[in-house]
Amino acid sequence: KLQPRGSHCMEGCFAPLLRALRSALGGMSAAVQDDATSAAASAAASAADLEQAAKKARTTAAGIAAVAGGANGLDGAATPAPRGAEGRRLRKEQNREQHREKAREHKKERKRAQLQRRQEAKRKVLESMTPEECSAFLVWQKTEGLALKHEADASLRRAFEDGKPKVVINCSFSHIMHYKEQTSLAKQAQMSYVAIRDMRSPIQLHLTSVNAENPSLRPLEIIGMRGWILHVHEEPVWKLFDLSKLVILTPDADEDLEEVTEDKIYVIGGIVDRSVSKMQSRQQAEEHGALCLRKLPIKAHGPRGAHPVLNIDIVVRILAERLSRGDDWPGVLAACLPSRYSGGPTGRMLRKERARQRKAASQDGTEAGARAAGSDDGEDEDDVDDDGDGEGEGSSRSSDAEIPAAAAAA
């Protein structure tokens, strides 16, 4: 109850200072509170922005996932093989493609084996010669090869410039053929060219309708058409030659071809179809006004049961042979038709038979070598012949007169 002396005086003296301090503290707390409030508001705004950004990201990811899912669905729909007729067709096409690939590989292996056999045969011939004979043989082989090449080129050049009759391969049917058939057309054209070259025939060979739109142009270029000595035209045969001189060779004709004359132009349809479609070449010829339609007299002079539809190169060979032999249709057809037409073995059968013979010969040689090695164990290593000419039993020499025969063997 008792207060110190002067307390009221001190309270009265410090009252303004206390009020100023309270006022200052109140302002500071208000400022701190405002700063805290603004910081909280900023944090809330940042959190809202982050939430909105995350929401957008989730939406974008969902869209990407949906698109990817749709693409995967499409891919998944294309991956399984379709059922029914379409599935069977696709499986057959895949099987055919696999078979073609195996056939191509087998053909390459067969060619490599054939080349190795030729090289081995030539090596054996050369080993059986003395160095002088070997040199003479190689010179003769090179000279003979160059002479044959010059002779063939000269014959082709004469046929190209002044050859008669003209034989035309009409390549305007390529758009109705598959790629494999177009490749076969190019191969048959090449074999026709080779037949004329090897037979030294005066026939002048033409290829027509070989333009940029023709799908057979590429196979022809791949097989080497640009290096051939023959006439290649972009125009169709109907615009290049006189229709009155054209002889359209078609198996659908009503009359047989009786003779081959130099003043005519013989047109062969460049059609290669696995399933033969009739009346194509005849219909095209009649549409363009060609009236001379003929077929080869296979039924009249050929072997019984022979098919009238032939490869292009076979037809070219028949025309060339008929031109050189004269009126001997039975002999011409017997010489030119494949052996299967007369009941003989096919090319595949002959190849298999040769392969069997080679295999049997190699086995016999191996057994003979083993027997010889066993029998030579107790014998002398040096074999001397009776006449004392210095050559043993195993040596063999070729004279100069035998060089052409060795070349034929090689």
Side-chain angles (χ1 to χ4, degrees), residues 51 54-55 69 83 87 93 116 119 126 136 155 180-181 190 195 200 215 231 236 244 268 297 366 386 405:
E51 181 65 24
K55 187 176 181 181
R83 300 178 179 179
E93 184 62 30
Q116 291 177 359
Q119 292 176 348
L126 295 178
S155 176
K180 187 174 182 180
E181 296 170 343
Q190 181 195 42
R200 307 292 190 266
H231 296 270
S244 62
I268 305 172
T366 304
D386 294 338

mmCIF file of all heavy atoms in Angstrom, residues 51 54-55 69 83 87 93 116 119 126 136 155 180-181 190 195 200 215 231 236 244 268 297 366 386 405:
data_model
loop_
_atom_site.group_PDB
_atom_site.id
_atom_site.type_symbol
_atom_site.label_atom_id
_atom_site.label_comp_id
_atom_site.label_asym_id
_atom_site.label_seq_id
_atom_site.Cartn_x
_atom_site.Cartn_y
_atom_site.Cartn_z
ATOM 1 N N GLU A 51 -0.006 -26.537 -59.088
ATOM 2 C CA GLU A 51 -1.090 -27.518 -59.248
ATOM 3 C C GLU A 51 -1.678 -27.463 -60.652
ATOM 4 O O GLU A 51 -1.974 -28.494 -61.275
ATOM 5 C CB GLU A 51 -2.169 -27.249 -58.188
ATOM 6 C CG GLU A 51 -3.343 -28.215 -58.237
ATOM 7 C CD GLU A 51 -2.932 -29.623 -57.902
ATOM 8 O OE1 GLU A 51 -1.908 -29.811 -57.202
ATOM 9 O OE2 GLU A 51 -3.627 -30.561 -58.344
ATOM 10 N N ALA A 54 0.808 -28.964 -63.010
ATOM 11 C CA ALA A 54 0.781 -30.417 -62.895
ATOM 12 C C ALA A 54 -0.447 -31.008 -63.564
ATOM 13 O O ALA A 54 -0.399 -32.068 -64.200
ATOM 14 C CB ALA A 54 0.836 -30.817 -61.417
ATOM 15 N N LYS A 55 -1.569 -30.294 -63.429
ATOM 16 C CA LYS A 55 -2.799 -30.761 -64.066
ATOM 17 C C LYS A 55 -2.653 -30.767 -65.587
ATOM 18 O O LYS A 55 -3.068 -31.701 -66.281
ATOM 19 C CB LYS A 55 -3.956 -29.867 -63.626
ATOM 20 C CG LYS A 55 -5.313 -30.344 -64.089
ATOM 21 C CD LYS A 55 -6.411 -29.468 -63.531
ATOM 22 C CE LYS A 55 -7.787 -29.965 -63.982
ATOM 23 N NZ LYS A 55 -8.871 -29.118 -63.462
ATOM 24 N N GLY A 69 -1.444 -45.271 -77.521
ATOM 25 C CA GLY A 69 -2.291 -46.453 -77.444
ATOM 26 C C GLY A 69 -3.026 -46.710 -78.737
ATOM 27 O O GLY A 69 -3.160 -47.838 -79.189
ATOM 28 N N ARG A 83 -7.582 -63.558 -90.936
ATOM 29 C CA ARG A 83 -8.159 -64.893 -91.057
ATOM 30 C C ARG A 83 -8.901 -65.039 -92.371
ATOM 31 O O ARG A 83 -9.099 -64.102 -93.113
ATOM 32 C CB ARG A 83 -9.107 -65.157 -89.885
ATOM 33 C CG ARG A 83 -8.433 -65.086 -88.514
ATOM 34 C CD ARG A 83 -9.439 -65.308 -87.407
ATOM 35 N NE ARG A 83 -8.812 -65.261 -86.076
ATOM 36 C CZ ARG A 83 -9.465 -65.397 -84.947
ATOM 37 N NH1 ARG A 83 -10.791 -65.575 -84.966
ATOM 38 N NH2 ARG A 83 -8.820 -65.338 -83.797
ATOM 39 N N GLY A 87 -6.057 -64.380 -95.177
ATOM 40 C CA GLY A 87 -4.947 -64.973 -94.445
ATOM 41 C C GLY A 87 -4.285 -66.104 -95.219
ATOM 42 O O GLY A 87 -3.054 -66.214 -95.254
ATOM 43 N N GLU A 93 1.580 -66.469 -100.262
ATOM 44 C CA GLU A 93 2.549 -65.538 -100.842
ATOM 45 C C GLU A 93 3.868 -65.570 -100.074
ATOM 46 O O GLU A 93 4.958 -65.523 -100.667
ATOM 47 C CB GLU A 93 1.961 -64.121 -100.830
ATOM 48 C CG GLU A 93 2.845 -63.082 -101.493
ATOM 49 C CD GLU A 93 3.081 -63.363 -102.953
ATOM 50 O OE1 GLU A 93 2.178 -63.958 -103.602
ATOM 51 O OE2 GLU A 93 4.162 -63.010 -103.456
ATOM 52 N N GLN A 116 33.762 -73.833 -110.171
ATOM 53 C CA GLN A 116 34.851 -74.553 -109.534
ATOM 54 C C GLN A 116 35.220 -75.816 -110.307
ATOM 55 O O GLN A 116 36.401 -76.138 -110.445
ATOM 56 C CB GLN A 116 34.481 -74.898 -108.096
ATOM 57 C CG GLN A 116 34.403 -73.695 -107.169
ATOM 58 C CD GLN A 116 33.951 -74.072 -105.770
ATOM 59 O OE1 GLN A 116 33.670 -75.243 -105.493
ATOM 60 N NE2 GLN A 116 33.883 -73.099 -104.877
ATOM 61 N N GLN A 119 37.197 -74.746 -113.366
ATOM 62 C CA GLN A 119 38.553 -74.357 -112.993
ATOM 63 C C GLN A 119 39.400 -75.572 -112.614
ATOM 64 O O GLN A 119 40.590 -75.635 -112.953
ATOM 65 C CB GLN A 119 38.491 -73.361 -111.838
ATOM 66 C CG GLN A 119 37.888 -72.014 -112.211
ATOM 67 C CD GLN A 119 37.746 -71.096 -111.016
ATOM 68 O OE1 GLN A 119 37.885 -71.523 -109.871
ATOM 69 N NE2 GLN A 119 37.451 -69.818 -111.275
ATOM 70 N N LEU A 126 46.238 -78.363 -117.336
ATOM 71 C CA LEU A 126 47.491 -77.624 -117.340
ATOM 72 C C LEU A 126 48.588 -78.360 -116.577
ATOM 73 O O LEU A 126 49.767 -78.307 -116.940
ATOM 74 C CB LEU A 126 47.280 -76.232 -116.747
ATOM 75 C CG LEU A 126 46.357 -75.293 -117.540
ATOM 76 C CD1 LEU A 126 46.193 -73.967 -116.813
ATOM 77 C CD2 LEU A 126 46.885 -75.061 -118.942
ATOM 78 N N ALA A 136 52.098 -72.656 -124.625
ATOM 79 C CA ALA A 136 51.515 -72.703 -125.972
ATOM 80 C C ALA A 136 49.998 -72.851 -125.918
ATOM 81 O O ALA A 136 49.262 -72.238 -126.704
ATOM 82 C CB ALA A 136 52.139 -73.852 -126.757
ATOM 83 N N SER A 155 29.492 -61.004 -137.338
ATOM 84 C CA SER A 155 28.208 -61.549 -137.782
ATOM 85 C C SER A 155 27.042 -60.721 -137.254
ATOM 86 O O SER A 155 26.082 -60.426 -137.989
ATOM 87 C CB SER A 155 28.078 -62.998 -137.320
ATOM 88 O OG SER A 155 26.812 -63.530 -137.639
ATOM 89 N N LYS A 180 8.322 -60.977 -112.020
ATOM 90 C CA LYS A 180 9.066 -62.189 -112.359
ATOM 91 C C LYS A 180 8.876 -62.554 -113.824
ATOM 92 O O LYS A 180 9.820 -63.002 -114.488
ATOM 93 C CB LYS A 180 8.612 -63.338 -111.456
ATOM 94 C CG LYS A 180 9.446 -64.593 -111.621
ATOM 95 C CD LYS A 180 9.062 -65.649 -110.610
ATOM 96 C CE LYS A 180 9.950 -66.880 -110.760
ATOM 97 N NZ LYS A 180 9.596 -67.939 -109.777
ATOM 98 N N GLU A 181 7.681 -62.350 -114.344
ATOM 99 C CA GLU A 181 7.445 -62.609 -115.758
ATOM 100 C C GLU A 181 8.187 -61.608 -116.638
ATOM 101 O O GLU A 181 8.682 -61.959 -117.715
ATOM 102 C CB GLU A 181 5.944 -62.577 -116.032
ATOM 103 C CG GLU A 181 5.181 -63.682 -115.315
ATOM 104 C CD GLU A 181 3.675 -63.506 -115.383
ATOM 105 O OE1 GLU A 181 3.220 -62.384 -115.699
ATOM 106 O OE2 GLU A 181 2.944 -64.477 -115.126
ATOM 107 N N GLN A 190 17.428 -62.075 -124.162
ATOM 108 C CA GLN A 190 18.874 -62.294 -124.167
ATOM 109 C C GLN A 190 19.217 -63.626 -124.850
ATOM 110 O O GLN A 190 20.162 -63.701 -125.656
ATOM 111 C CB GLN A 190 19.409 -62.289 -122.747
ATOM 112 C CG GLN A 190 20.915 -62.485 -122.657
ATOM 113 C CD GLN A 190 21.367 -62.832 -121.255
ATOM 114 O OE1 GLN A 190 20.724 -63.630 -120.572
ATOM 115 N NE2 GLN A 190 22.454 -62.230 -120.810
ATOM 116 N N ALA A 195 21.236 -66.824 -129.381
ATOM 117 C CA ALA A 195 20.990 -67.830 -130.417
ATOM 118 C C ALA A 195 21.381 -67.303 -131.797
ATOM 119 O O ALA A 195 22.027 -68.006 -132.591
ATOM 120 C CB ALA A 195 19.519 -68.246 -130.400
ATOM 121 N N ARG A 200 25.311 -67.658 -136.068
ATOM 122 C CA ARG A 200 25.760 -66.775 -137.152
ATOM 123 C C ARG A 200 24.626 -66.532 -138.139
ATOM 124 O O ARG A 200 24.817 -66.536 -139.363
ATOM 125 C CB ARG A 200 26.978 -67.367 -137.869
ATOM 126 C CG ARG A 200 28.134 -67.744 -136.957
ATOM 127 C CD ARG A 200 28.779 -66.506 -136.335
ATOM 128 N NE ARG A 200 30.025 -66.837 -135.651
ATOM 129 C CZ ARG A 200 30.127 -67.103 -134.355
ATOM 130 N NH1 ARG A 200 29.042 -67.079 -133.578
ATOM 131 N NH2 ARG A 200 31.303 -67.370 -133.809
ATOM 132 N N PRO A 215 7.444 -51.412 -118.025
ATOM 133 C CA PRO A 215 8.074 -51.962 -116.807
ATOM 134 C C PRO A 215 9.169 -52.982 -117.092
ATOM 135 O O PRO A 215 9.930 -53.314 -116.184
ATOM 136 C CB PRO A 215 6.895 -52.602 -116.055
ATOM 137 C CG PRO A 215 5.857 -52.843 -117.096
ATOM 138 C CD PRO A 215 6.007 -51.765 -118.122
ATOM 139 N N HIS A 231 18.448 -53.756 -132.701
ATOM 140 C CA HIS A 231 17.635 -52.550 -132.807
ATOM 141 C C HIS A 231 16.641 -52.501 -131.655
ATOM 142 O O HIS A 231 15.876 -53.458 -131.443
ATOM 143 C CB HIS A 231 16.892 -52.528 -134.146
ATOM 144 C CG HIS A 231 17.798 -52.462 -135.335
ATOM 145 N ND1 HIS A 231 18.213 -51.268 -135.892
ATOM 146 C CD2 HIS A 231 18.389 -53.454 -136.060
ATOM 147 C CE1 HIS A 231 18.994 -51.524 -136.929
ATOM 148 N NE2 HIS A 231 19.128 -52.840 -137.059
ATOM 149 N N PRO A 236 5.741 -48.600 -130.924
ATOM 150 C CA PRO A 236 5.199 -49.939 -131.132
ATOM 151 C C PRO A 236 5.474 -50.439 -132.543
ATOM 152 O O PRO A 236 5.768 -49.665 -133.455
ATOM 153 C CB PRO A 236 3.700 -49.763 -130.864
ATOM 154 C CG PRO A 236 3.442 -48.330 -131.109
ATOM 155 C CD PRO A 236 4.674 -47.588 -130.730
ATOM 156 N N SER A 244 1.436 -54.591 -144.231
ATOM 157 C CA SER A 244 1.291 -55.639 -145.241
ATOM 158 C C SER A 244 2.444 -56.640 -145.215
ATOM 159 O O SER A 244 2.313 -57.748 -145.748
ATOM 160 C CB SER A 244 1.193 -55.007 -146.628
ATOM 161 O OG SER A 244 2.377 -54.278 -146.934
ATOM 162 N N ILE A 268 6.930 -61.597 -132.911
ATOM 163 C CA ILE A 268 6.717 -62.543 -131.810
ATOM 164 C C ILE A 268 6.191 -61.755 -130.624
ATOM 165 O O ILE A 268 6.788 -60.750 -130.220
ATOM 166 C CB ILE A 268 8.022 -63.265 -131.442
ATOM 167 C CG1 ILE A 268 8.618 -63.946 -132.680
ATOM 168 C CG2 ILE A 268 7.779 -64.293 -130.336
ATOM 169 C CD1 ILE A 268 10.008 -64.509 -132.430
ATOM 170 N N PRO A 297 4.045 -74.929 -137.305
ATOM 171 C CA PRO A 297 3.378 -76.218 -137.609
ATOM 172 C C PRO A 297 3.829 -77.332 -136.663
ATOM 173 O O PRO A 297 4.364 -78.361 -137.098
ATOM 174 C CB PRO A 297 3.801 -76.482 -139.050
ATOM 175 C CG PRO A 297 5.119 -75.816 -139.177
ATOM 176 C CD PRO A 297 5.079 -74.600 -138.311
ATOM 177 N N THR A 366 38.034 -91.784 -104.589
ATOM 178 C CA THR A 366 38.505 -91.847 -103.199
ATOM 179 C C THR A 366 38.849 -93.275 -102.801
ATOM 180 O O THR A 366 39.886 -93.549 -102.177
ATOM 181 C CB THR A 366 37.435 -91.272 -102.267
ATOM 182 O OG1 THR A 366 37.127 -89.937 -102.686
ATOM 183 C CG2 THR A 366 37.921 -91.255 -100.831
ATOM 184 N N ASP A 386 60.200 -99.205 -118.856
ATOM 185 C CA ASP A 386 61.096 -100.164 -119.478
ATOM 186 C C ASP A 386 61.953 -99.535 -120.567
ATOM 187 O O ASP A 386 63.071 -99.952 -120.789
ATOM 188 C CB ASP A 386 60.300 -101.336 -120.074
ATOM 189 C CG ASP A 386 59.648 -102.127 -118.962
ATOM 190 O OD1 ASP A 386 60.135 -102.035 -117.822
ATOM 191 O OD2 ASP A 386 58.641 -102.814 -119.219
ATOM 192 N N ALA A 405 42.474 -80.538 -128.365
ATOM 193 C CA ALA A 405 41.641 -81.434 -127.555
ATOM 194 C C ALA A 405 41.677 -81.038 -126.090
ATOM 195 O O ALA A 405 40.668 -81.074 -125.385
ATOM 196 C CB ALA A 405 42.136 -82.876 -127.730
#
